[in-house]
Amino acid sequence: QVQLVQSGAEVKKPGASVKVSCKASGYTFTAYAMHWVRQAPGQRLEWVGWINAGNGNTKYSQRFQGRLTITRDTSASTAYMELSSLRSEDTAVYYCARYQGGGGFDIWGQGTMVTVSS
Amino acid sequence: QSALTQPASVSGSPGQSITISCTGTSSDIGGYNYVSWYQQHPGKAPKLMIYGVSNRPSGVSNRFSGSKSGNTASLTISGLQAEDEADYYCSSYTVSSTYVFGTGTTVTVL
């Protein structure tokens, strides 16, 4: 079946970087864009950025410019989100989500908890 | 990009209908028909309920419907059921080629 499986929880110190993976299965990876969304504890969803899995083009939220890198490995059907210069406010669950068109994210990963703490 | 504005909470009795509003600007909701809605139960990933303003994905109950007027989108849940109790988020494409989510609404079934 169509699914996205993300890497496990991470604990990082302030100033460090984290790289979260999202492995797709059950569909043609390069035919869909992949988005990243985060949710701080008890807070709303926040859009982070996306990658065109076919050509690798990316677009990031202004909030993360300079700290965020989204990449993909088509041979592994996997997308990656790397966030650097981590601060406590980056503590959140990070989700990958497939974009199906019409503004809708139809398949979501299970989420990866990233905790930033000294 | 500021978050889209949703009411913090909406409640209703079983069988009733409720409507959740989502207000943006002409740079997001008002400018594009790329509005979607998500249901999120505690500790779970969001689930797509509506896309393209008013389209339901396969498997989503027809008790859920979406609409848009100007800069405001709406999600209506008819025949409210206990399992509908959850957080709901709207989302829209924006003029900056980015996406923005709403502030979120907690639906309580009385």
Side-chain angles (χ1 to χ4, degrees):
Chain A
Q1 74 280 24
V2 176
Q3 64 177 353
L4 301 174
V5 178
Q6 299 182 220
S7 49
E10 303 265 10
V11 179
K12 297 292 183 180
K13 293 195 183 302
S17 297
V18 68
K19 190 171 186 177
V20 179
S21 68
C22 170
K23 182 170 178 58
S25 61
Y27 72 95
T28 302
F29 177 71
T30 53
Y32 294 82
M34 191 72 77
H35 290 244
W36 290 86
V37 176
R38 78 177 187 179
Q39 187 172 36
Q43 301 301 308
R44 68 176 185 92
L45 300 174
E46 180 180 19
W47 184 80
V48 173
W50 71 281
I51 186 167
N52 181 320
N55 62 21
N57 287 345
T58 56
K59 181 73 175 182
Y60 304 146
S61 167
Q62 192 81 11
R63 273 173 56 91
F64 305 101
Q65 292 289 352
R67 295 201 298 138
L68 177 67
T69 305
I70 299 176
T71 57
R72 96 287 192 221
D73 179 348
T74 57
S75 66
S77 296
T78 300
Y80 302 91
M81 183 217 64
E82 184 169 19
L83 190 60
S84 62
S85 301
L86 289 169
R87 32 219 193 215
S88 58
E89 310 89 89
D90 293 319
T91 293
V93 175
Y94 289 76
Y95 293 101
C96 59
R98 188 182 80 165
Y99 181 73
Q100 66 137 56
F105 309 121
D106 64 337
I107 306 295
W108 292 67
Q110 82 276 21
T112 296
M113 182 71 212
V114 174
T115 302
V116 183
S117 174
S118 55
Chain B
Q1 179 73 46
S2 299
L4 306 173
T5 301
Q6 299 180 231
S9 63
V10 173
S11 61
S13 299
Q16 284 188 330
S17 292
I18 61 170
T19 297
I20 303 168
S21 62
C22 172
T23 302
T25 69
S26 58
S27 295
D28 38 65
I29 292 177
Y32 307 92
N33 287 326
Y34 289 160
V35 177
S36 54
W37 289 90
Y38 302 86
Q39 176 191 67
Q40 187 180 33
H41 287 108
K44 301 293 188 181
K47 175 186 177 183
L48 178 65
M49 305 303 284
I50 296 288
Y51 67 96
V53 176
S54 60
N55 300 290
R56 267 190 318 275
S58 170
V60 172
S61 171
N62 59 10
R63 298 185 297 105
F64 292 84
S65 61
S67 63
K68 188 186 89 166
S69 177
N71 298 336
T72 298
S74 298
L75 173 71
T76 297
I77 309 174
S78 58
L80 198 62
Q81 299 180 1
E83 69 222 43
D84 300 332
E85 191 161 287
D87 291 330
Y88 290 82
Y89 294 91
C90 58
S91 176
S92 174
Y93 181 70
T94 83
V95 69
S96 303
S97 302
T98 61
Y99 288 79
V100 61
F101 282 93
T103 51
T105 298
T106 298
V107 169
T108 301
V109 181
L110 301 171

